[in-house]
Amino acid sequence: MGLFSRKNNNPEPRNERMTELGRDYAIARRHRDTKAMNRIMREIGTDKDVTDLSDFRSGQESYDSIPPIPRGRKRRSQ
């Protein structure tokens, strides 16, 4: 390797629409919104190629990496 490397480390172009659908799907799954989950899965369909599905998965993982907000205990008043 020389002093000036000509390697290009640019990532592949991502399909932003599929990434956004992946985030929306992860949000719906966290909130148990099956109606929205089914709508997104119908919108995606089964004819997408591997790169679109990997963009969809990366969108899901980007939202899933955010931990849920811890909720306090519900106190019952007696």
Side-chain angles (χ1 to χ4, degrees), residues 21-30 37 40-41 56 60:
L21 281 174
R23 281 191 210 109
D24 291 342
Y25 185 82
I27 291 169
R29 187 178 60 218
R30 184 175 284 184
M37 290 169 58
I40 292 170
M41 291 309 283
F56 180 76
Q60 282 182 334

